[in-house]
Amino acid sequence: CVAMALASFTAWGKEEKTLKIGDSVPEFTLKDANDKEYSFKLMLEKEEVKVAVLFMGDRKVRKDANKWARELHKIYGKRKDVVLVMLADLRNLPFFVTEGMVKWGTKREKLPVTILLDWEGKVNLKYKTQKKKTDLFIIGRDSKLLYHQVDKYSDETAKQVTTKMQDDLQENDKN
């Protein structure tokens, strides 16, 4: 499993304070569109993994989260020490959208990352994501939050994120 991307799609719950740098992040287990189960804790425990990146947001920011996933996959997709994961917050889907439709659409997109489906938005609530925005979390092997970015994709924000990731990967190499 070279790289996985977690992009999660934030729900419309009330906004709370976000996690702080150094906080332990909540563990979770979710399934993808093929009903394969993924445990975030087990992803981090793989010997070669140093950092994980989670992309989270609701369907209103899906295109932006997809851009983050594609761009970071270009840089880190072949590295075994980086896990990329997209989490889809599906709480606020229109009533007529079925589970089958979501799974079909997710598979059809063919993103270069794994998309995990957060049907009830519980993971997004635990991570205190912001509505109508893409939340990007960089998490260390020890499950501690290293970085949190809430912003649309731009070359400038991408540079900030990749610089932070390089710093974290180099720091991890020293230890």
Side-chain angles (χ1 to χ4, degrees):
C1 178
V2 174
M4 289 196 251
L6 296 187
S8 80
F9 302 89
T10 305
W12 300 105
K14 63 181 180 181
E15 290 187 38
E16 302 174 22
K17 290 184 179 180
T18 60
L19 297 170
K20 294 182 179 93
I21 304 303
D23 285 353
S24 290
V25 298
E27 295 177 15
F28 61 86
T29 300
L30 291 172
K31 292 181 180 179
D32 68 7
N34 294 312
D35 289 326
K36 181 177 177 184
E37 195 169 86
Y38 290 85
S39 162
F40 188 58
K41 180 180 180 181
L42 293 178
M43 287 180 202
L44 286 176
E45 289 177 351
K46 290 183 179 179
E47 186 175 328
E48 65 273 3
V49 173
K50 295 178 182 173
V51 297
V53 181
L54 303 180
F55 313 95
M56 299 183 174
D58 62 20
R59 63 190 177 91
K60 301 216 183 257
V61 297
R62 178 70 183 261
K63 288 181 182 178
D64 191 60
N66 290 357
K67 177 79 172 167
W68 275 109
R70 285 186 178 101
E71 293 303 314
L72 290 180
H73 185 267
K74 286 178 189 175
I75 300 167
Y76 300 105
K78 294 184 180 181
R79 294 184 64 149
K80 292 184 179 186
D81 57 349
V82 176
V83 174
L84 303 172
V85 184
M86 181 180 277
L87 297 179
D89 181 346
L90 303 169
R91 287 179 288 174
N92 294 310
L93 289 175
F95 72 93
F96 57 85
V97 176
T98 66
E99 184 175 319
M101 292 168 74
V102 170
K103 289 179 178 181
W104 176 81
T106 301
K107 291 176 198 175
R108 193 174 132 247
E109 269 189 284
K110 297 185 180 178
L111 284 174
V113 299
T114 299
I115 302 173
L116 301 181
L117 308 175
D118 189 6
W119 292 101
E120 297 174 3
K122 290 180 180 179
V123 177
N124 282 267
L125 287 172
K126 288 180 183 179
Y127 276 77
K128 302 172 185 171
T129 57
Q130 296 184 31
K131 63 182 179 179
K132 297 184 183 179
K133 296 182 180 178
T134 302
D135 280 76
L136 184 143
F137 298 89
I138 300 176
I139 299 159
R141 178 178 178 76
D142 59 359
S143 296
K144 302 283 187 194
L145 181 62
L146 302 173
Y147 184 78
H148 179 214
Q149 173 81 40
V150 181
D151 211 344
K152 289 186 175 194
Y153 180 89
S154 71
D155 290 340
E156 183 179 325
T157 55
K159 184 176 179 179
Q160 291 171 357
V161 169
T162 55
T163 298
K164 177 62 179 157
M165 285 188 63
Q166 287 307 118
D167 292 347
D168 291 332
L169 289 167
Q170 288 174 357
E171 183 66 30
N172 202 303
D173 286 339
K174 292 177 186 175
N175 297 331

